[in-house]
Amino acid sequence: MYHHVKKLMYTVNVETPDVRFGNMLLEQFGGANGELAAAMQYTIQGWNCVDDLARRDLLLDIGTEELSHLEVVGALIRLHLKDLKTNREAAEADPLVTIAGGGGVALLNSRGNPWTADYLKITGELDVDLRSNIAAEARAKIVYERLIDHTDDPGTIDTLQFLMTREITHMKAFAAALESIEKPPFSIGRLAPTPVLVDEYFNGSTGDGDEGETDMRGPWSKAYGMHVVESQLTGGAGLSIGKVRGLAGQEERGKQDSTPTTTTAPAREELIGVEGR
Ligand code: MN
Ligand code: MN
Protein backbone atom coordinates (compact mmCIF):
# COMPACT_ATOMS: atom_id res chain seq x y z
CA MET A 1 0.00 0.00 0.00
CA TYR A 2 1.31 3.42 -0.83
CA HIS A 3 0.47 6.66 0.90
CA HIS A 4 1.29 10.17 -0.20
CA VAL A 5 2.15 12.93 2.28
CA LYS A 6 1.56 16.48 1.03
CA LYS A 7 5.08 17.64 1.77
CA LEU A 8 8.30 17.52 -0.16
CA MET A 9 11.12 15.50 1.37
CA TYR A 10 13.32 18.59 0.99
CA THR A 11 12.29 22.23 0.60
CA VAL A 12 12.96 23.52 -2.91
CA ASN A 13 13.81 27.14 -3.66
CA VAL A 14 14.88 28.67 -6.96
CA GLU A 15 15.94 32.30 -7.07
CA THR A 16 16.74 32.58 -10.77
CA PRO A 17 14.81 30.18 -13.02
CA ASP A 18 16.85 28.82 -15.92
CA VAL A 19 14.91 26.85 -18.50
CA ARG A 20 18.03 25.36 -20.05
CA PHE A 21 19.14 24.08 -16.67
CA GLY A 22 15.62 22.76 -16.00
CA ASN A 23 16.00 20.82 -19.22
CA MET A 24 19.31 19.36 -18.01
CA LEU A 25 17.66 18.38 -14.73
CA LEU A 26 15.25 16.14 -16.63
CA GLU A 27 18.17 13.69 -16.79
CA GLN A 28 17.51 12.94 -13.11
CA PHE A 29 13.72 12.75 -13.62
CA GLY A 30 13.27 10.51 -16.64
CA GLY A 31 16.89 9.60 -17.49
CA ALA A 32 18.84 6.36 -17.23
CA ASN A 33 20.34 7.17 -13.82
CA GLY A 34 17.44 9.23 -12.61
CA GLU A 35 15.14 8.95 -9.66
CA LEU A 36 12.30 7.07 -11.36
CA ALA A 37 14.74 4.41 -12.55
CA ALA A 38 16.15 4.08 -9.01
CA ALA A 39 12.68 3.95 -7.43
CA MET A 40 11.45 1.28 -9.86
CA GLN A 41 14.65 -0.79 -9.77
CA TYR A 42 14.77 -1.11 -5.97
CA THR A 43 11.02 -1.41 -5.47
CA ILE A 44 10.58 -4.18 -8.05
CA GLN A 45 13.68 -5.95 -6.72
CA GLY A 46 12.11 -5.71 -3.25
CA TRP A 47 8.78 -7.14 -4.38
CA ASN A 48 10.67 -10.06 -5.93
CA CYS A 49 12.86 -10.59 -2.86
CA VAL A 50 10.71 -13.10 -0.97
CA ASP A 51 13.53 -15.18 0.53
CA ASP A 52 15.26 -12.42 2.49
CA LEU A 53 12.72 -10.29 4.29
CA ALA A 54 15.34 -8.07 5.94
CA ARG A 55 16.94 -7.02 2.65
CA ARG A 56 13.50 -6.82 1.04
CA ASP A 57 12.70 -4.17 3.65
CA LEU A 58 15.93 -2.31 2.76
CA LEU A 59 15.04 -2.35 -0.96
CA LEU A 60 11.55 -1.03 -0.26
CA ASP A 61 12.82 1.64 2.16
CA ILE A 62 15.23 3.01 -0.42
CA GLY A 63 12.89 2.49 -3.38
CA THR A 64 10.29 4.58 -1.57
CA GLU A 65 12.80 7.31 -0.76
CA GLU A 66 13.75 7.46 -4.45
CA LEU A 67 10.13 8.19 -5.31
CA SER A 68 10.31 11.09 -2.87
CA HIS A 69 13.49 12.23 -4.64
CA LEU A 70 11.59 12.10 -7.95
CA GLU A 71 9.01 14.42 -6.45
CA VAL A 72 11.74 16.83 -5.24
CA VAL A 73 13.54 16.83 -8.60
CA GLY A 74 10.19 17.30 -10.35
CA ALA A 75 9.41 20.32 -8.16
CA LEU A 76 12.85 21.79 -8.86
CA ILE A 77 12.44 21.27 -12.62
CA ARG A 78 9.01 22.89 -12.66
CA LEU A 79 10.41 26.00 -10.94
CA HIS A 80 13.15 26.24 -13.57
CA LEU A 81 10.75 25.65 -16.47
CA LYS A 82 8.08 28.13 -15.42
CA ASP A 83 8.94 30.66 -18.14
CA LEU A 84 8.39 28.09 -20.90
CA LYS A 85 4.68 28.79 -21.12
CA THR A 86 4.91 32.54 -21.67
CA ASN A 87 8.33 33.33 -23.07
CA ARG A 88 9.10 32.42 -26.67
CA GLU A 89 12.87 32.45 -26.19
CA ALA A 90 12.55 30.21 -23.12
CA ALA A 91 10.21 27.89 -25.01
CA GLU A 92 12.85 27.35 -27.67
CA ALA A 93 15.10 25.79 -24.99
CA ASP A 94 12.69 22.85 -24.83
CA PRO A 95 10.02 22.84 -27.53
CA LEU A 96 8.97 19.27 -26.72
CA VAL A 97 8.20 20.02 -23.08
CA THR A 98 6.60 23.35 -24.01
CA ILE A 99 4.44 22.30 -26.93
CA ALA A 100 3.62 18.70 -26.14
CA GLY A 101 3.85 18.85 -22.36
CA GLY A 102 2.54 22.32 -21.60
CA GLY A 103 5.73 23.24 -19.76
CA GLY A 104 5.38 20.56 -17.09
CA VAL A 105 7.74 17.74 -16.20
CA ALA A 106 7.55 14.60 -18.30
CA LEU A 107 9.25 11.23 -18.13
CA LEU A 108 11.91 12.23 -20.60
CA ASN A 109 15.66 12.59 -20.32
CA SER A 110 17.49 15.84 -21.06
CA ARG A 111 17.36 15.10 -24.81
CA GLY A 112 13.68 14.28 -24.87
CA ASN A 113 14.05 10.50 -25.03
CA PRO A 114 11.25 8.71 -23.21
CA TRP A 115 11.96 6.85 -19.98
CA THR A 116 12.18 3.12 -20.48
CA ALA A 117 12.13 0.04 -18.24
CA ASP A 118 15.25 -1.00 -20.17
CA TYR A 119 17.14 1.26 -17.76
CA LEU A 120 16.42 -1.15 -14.92
CA LYS A 121 18.78 -3.88 -13.77
CA ILE A 122 16.75 -6.59 -12.06
CA THR A 123 18.16 -10.13 -12.07
CA GLY A 124 16.28 -11.74 -9.20
CA GLU A 125 19.62 -12.71 -7.62
CA LEU A 126 19.99 -10.57 -4.50
CA ASP A 127 23.78 -10.22 -4.39
CA VAL A 128 23.90 -9.43 -8.11
CA ASP A 129 21.13 -6.85 -7.76
CA LEU A 130 22.87 -5.21 -4.79
CA ARG A 131 26.00 -4.77 -6.90
CA SER A 132 23.89 -3.13 -9.63
CA ASN A 133 22.37 -0.85 -7.01
CA ILE A 134 25.76 0.22 -5.65
CA ALA A 135 26.79 1.10 -9.22
CA ALA A 136 23.46 2.90 -9.84
CA GLU A 137 23.98 5.06 -6.75
CA ALA A 138 27.51 5.92 -7.89
CA ARG A 139 26.17 6.99 -11.29
CA ALA A 140 23.39 9.07 -9.73
CA LYS A 141 25.96 10.76 -7.47
CA ILE A 142 28.18 11.72 -10.37
CA VAL A 143 25.22 13.05 -12.42
CA TYR A 144 24.17 15.30 -9.50
CA GLU A 145 27.74 16.49 -9.14
CA ARG A 146 27.86 17.48 -12.82
CA LEU A 147 24.51 19.25 -12.53
CA ILE A 148 25.85 21.22 -9.54
CA ASP A 149 28.82 22.24 -11.70
CA HIS A 150 26.43 23.87 -14.18
CA THR A 151 24.35 26.12 -11.93
CA ASP A 152 25.05 29.13 -9.74
CA ASP A 153 21.61 29.25 -8.16
CA PRO A 154 22.10 28.76 -4.39
CA GLY A 155 18.68 27.17 -3.76
CA THR A 156 19.18 24.75 -6.64
CA ILE A 157 22.65 23.80 -5.41
CA ASP A 158 21.26 23.24 -1.93
CA THR A 159 18.60 20.81 -3.18
CA LEU A 160 21.02 18.98 -5.48
CA GLN A 161 23.54 18.68 -2.63
CA PHE A 162 20.82 17.02 -0.53
CA LEU A 163 19.91 14.56 -3.30
CA MET A 164 23.56 13.83 -4.08
CA THR A 165 24.28 13.14 -0.41
CA ARG A 166 21.41 10.68 -0.10
CA GLU A 167 22.82 8.64 -2.99
CA ILE A 168 26.00 8.07 -0.97
CA THR A 169 23.87 7.08 2.03
CA HIS A 170 22.11 4.53 -0.17
CA MET A 171 25.43 3.32 -1.53
CA LYS A 172 26.58 2.66 2.05
CA ALA A 173 23.38 0.78 2.87
CA PHE A 174 23.58 -1.41 -0.25
CA ALA A 175 27.29 -2.09 0.36
CA ALA A 176 26.57 -3.11 3.96
CA ALA A 177 23.69 -5.31 2.81
CA LEU A 178 25.97 -7.04 0.28
CA GLU A 179 28.85 -7.50 2.73
CA SER A 180 26.54 -8.87 5.41
CA ILE A 181 25.39 -11.67 3.10
CA GLU A 182 28.96 -12.97 3.66
CA LYS A 183 29.17 -14.60 0.27
CA PRO A 184 32.67 -14.86 -1.25
CA PRO A 185 32.95 -11.94 -3.68
CA PHE A 186 33.38 -14.02 -6.84
CA SER A 187 30.82 -16.63 -5.94
CA ILE A 188 28.03 -15.61 -8.31
CA GLY A 189 25.11 -17.92 -8.92
CA ARG A 190 25.34 -21.72 -8.51
CA LEU A 191 27.80 -23.00 -11.14
CA ALA A 192 31.54 -22.93 -10.49
CA PRO A 193 33.68 -21.29 -13.16
CA THR A 194 36.10 -23.50 -15.14
CA PRO A 195 39.34 -23.97 -13.17
CA VAL A 196 42.57 -22.67 -14.76
CA LEU A 197 40.67 -20.60 -17.36
CA VAL A 198 39.14 -18.49 -14.60
CA ASP A 199 42.61 -17.34 -13.50
CA GLU A 200 43.95 -16.45 -16.94
CA TYR A 201 44.30 -12.75 -17.67
CA PHE A 202 44.53 -12.45 -21.45
CA ASN A 203 46.94 -9.75 -22.57
CA GLY A 204 44.69 -8.71 -25.41
CA SER A 205 46.10 -5.24 -26.08
CA THR A 206 49.80 -5.20 -26.91
CA GLY A 207 52.43 -3.04 -28.55
CA ASP A 208 53.25 0.64 -28.12
CA GLY A 209 50.58 3.26 -28.73
CA ASP A 210 50.89 6.69 -30.33
CA GLU A 211 50.54 8.40 -26.96
CA GLY A 212 53.31 6.36 -25.38
CA GLU A 213 51.12 3.63 -23.96
CA THR A 214 52.96 0.41 -23.38
CA ASP A 215 51.91 -2.97 -22.13
CA MET A 216 50.90 -2.18 -18.57
CA ARG A 217 50.56 -4.48 -15.60
CA GLY A 218 48.64 -4.00 -12.39
CA PRO A 219 46.82 -5.90 -9.70
CA TRP A 220 44.06 -6.60 -12.25
CA SER A 221 46.33 -9.14 -13.93
CA LYS A 222 47.68 -10.89 -10.84
CA ALA A 223 45.29 -10.49 -7.90
CA TYR A 224 42.98 -13.27 -6.77
CA GLY A 225 45.23 -15.98 -8.17
CA MET A 226 45.29 -14.62 -11.72
CA HIS A 227 48.28 -14.60 -14.05
CA VAL A 228 48.95 -13.07 -17.43
CA VAL A 229 48.63 -15.20 -20.53
CA GLU A 230 50.34 -13.73 -23.55
CA SER A 231 47.76 -14.52 -26.04
CA GLN A 232 47.25 -15.43 -29.63
CA LEU A 233 43.70 -15.96 -28.57
CA THR A 234 42.48 -12.59 -29.73
CA GLY A 235 42.13 -13.54 -33.39
CA GLY A 236 39.10 -15.78 -33.01
CA ALA A 237 35.53 -15.14 -32.17
CA GLY A 238 34.56 -16.13 -28.66
CA LEU A 239 36.49 -18.27 -26.24
CA SER A 240 35.49 -21.61 -24.86
CA ILE A 241 37.57 -24.12 -22.97
CA GLY A 242 37.66 -26.21 -26.15
CA LYS A 243 38.99 -23.26 -28.11
CA VAL A 244 41.57 -22.52 -25.43
CA ARG A 245 42.79 -26.11 -25.64
CA GLY A 246 42.87 -26.04 -29.43
CA LEU A 247 44.87 -22.86 -29.54
CA ALA A 248 47.23 -24.16 -26.88
CA GLY A 249 47.97 -27.03 -29.25
CA GLN A 250 48.64 -24.58 -32.08
CA GLU A 251 51.17 -22.80 -29.90
CA GLU A 252 53.03 -26.07 -29.53
CA ARG A 253 52.98 -26.67 -33.29
CA GLY A 254 54.11 -23.10 -33.82
CA LYS A 255 57.22 -23.80 -31.80
CA GLN A 256 58.09 -26.84 -33.91
CA ASP A 257 57.80 -24.71 -37.05
CA SER A 258 60.09 -22.15 -35.35
CA THR A 259 57.38 -19.54 -35.88
CA PRO A 260 57.75 -16.79 -33.26
CA THR A 261 55.29 -17.47 -30.47
CA THR A 262 54.38 -15.78 -27.26
CA THR A 263 55.35 -17.03 -23.84
CA THR A 264 53.23 -19.89 -22.72
CA ALA A 265 52.00 -19.44 -19.19
CA PRO A 266 52.50 -22.33 -16.73
CA ALA A 267 48.79 -22.95 -16.45
CA ARG A 268 48.61 -23.47 -20.20
CA GLU A 269 51.45 -26.00 -20.10
CA GLU A 270 49.48 -27.88 -17.50
CA LEU A 271 46.46 -27.77 -19.76
CA ILE A 272 48.45 -29.14 -22.68
CA GLY A 273 49.81 -31.84 -20.37
CA VAL A 274 46.33 -32.90 -19.48
CA GLU A 275 45.42 -32.99 -23.18
CA GLY A 276 48.46 -35.10 -24.01
CA ARG A 277 47.66 -37.82 -21.52
MN1 MN B 1 17.79 9.41 -5.35
MN1 MN C 1 19.68 6.57 -4.20
Side-chain angles (χ1 to χ4, degrees):
M1 180 176 76
Y2 281 84
H3 184 94
H4 181 255
V5 178
K6 291 180 195 56
K7 269 192 191 324
L8 285 178
M9 189 182 187
Y10 195 80
T11 308
V12 176
N13 291 303
V14 171
E15 283 160 46
T16 315
D18 176 347
V19 285
R20 289 184 183 278
F21 190 69
N23 182 269
M24 285 193 227
L25 282 170
L26 280 172
E27 203 56 47
Q28 282 302 76
F29 194 79
N33 305 307
E35 300 294 355
L36 182 68
M40 290 300 104
Q41 180 162 308
Y42 310 154
T43 300
I44 306 301
Q45 286 174 357
W47 290 347
N48 286 330
C49 184
V50 290
D51 297 329
D52 187 333
L53 296 182
R55 288 176 186 78
R56 175 191 172 104
D57 192 30
L58 159 80
L59 291 163
L60 295 175
D61 282 339
I62 300 186
T64 304
E65 180 174 342
E66 301 295 9
L67 210 53
S68 298
H69 290 185
L70 182 74
E71 189 181 26
V72 169
V73 157
L76 185 65
I77 295 170
R78 274 189 282 105
L79 289 172
H80 276 288
L81 295 184
K82 75 178 172 49
D83 290 344
L84 282 183
K85 285 183 184 175
T86 51
N87 180 318
R88 165 64 193 261
E89 200 185 329
E92 283 174 7
D94 198 332
L96 180 64
V97 166
T98 309
I99 306 305
V105 284
L107 288 173
L108 306 168
N109 71 9
S110 59
R111 293 302 300 264
N113 298 309
W115 187 86
T116 165
D118 287 345
Y119 294 151
L120 308 186
K121 304 293 176 215
I122 300 170
T123 69
E125 199 74 27
L126 185 58
D127 60 314
V128 176
D129 282 350
L130 287 170
R131 285 164 204 269
S132 292
N133 298 356
I134 292 165
E137 295 293 342
R139 290 194 299 269
K141 197 275 179 184
I142 214 75
V143 173
Y144 277 124
E145 188 170 307
R146 289 175 184 157
L147 285 165
I148 289 169
D149 284 343
H150 287 286
T151 180
D152 296 323
D153 185 71
T156 301
I157 291 172
D158 186 53
T159 300
L160 295 178
Q161 175 73 29
F162 167 78
L163 293 167
M164 183 184 80
T165 299
R166 294 303 298 168
E167 310 309 11
I168 298 298
T169 310
H170 296 165
M171 211 174 160
K172 288 184 182 185
F174 286 134
L178 178 62
E179 281 162 26
S180 59
I181 291 176
E182 291 184 351
K183 210 173 161 189
F186 305 110
S187 170
I188 306 293
R190 295 175 299 103
L191 297 179
T194 303
V196 180
L197 180 63
V198 72
D199 290 323
E200 294 188 342
Y201 178 92
F202 295 144
N203 186 24
S205 172
T206 58
D208 298 329
D210 292 341
E211 290 169 58
E213 322 92 287
T214 54
D215 225 3
M216 307 274 196
R217 290 286 180 272
W220 51 85
S221 56
K222 57 181 185 230
Y224 307 115
M226 288 189 296
H227 59 269
V228 174
V229 173
E230 292 302 340
S231 107
Q232 293 181 328
L233 298 171
T234 49
L239 285 165
S240 64
I241 188 66
K243 183 157 177 89
V244 170
R245 284 181 173 146
L247 285 165
Q250 280 173 24
E251 279 186 6
E252 285 298 282
R253 286 192 292 278
K255 276 178 198 159
Q256 284 163 13
D257 298 339
S258 44
T259 312
T261 56
T262 54
T263 315
T264 306
R268 182 161 314 281
E269 303 244 338
E270 279 167 31
L271 206 57
I272 293 161
V274 170
E275 285 267 286
R277 262 178 245 136

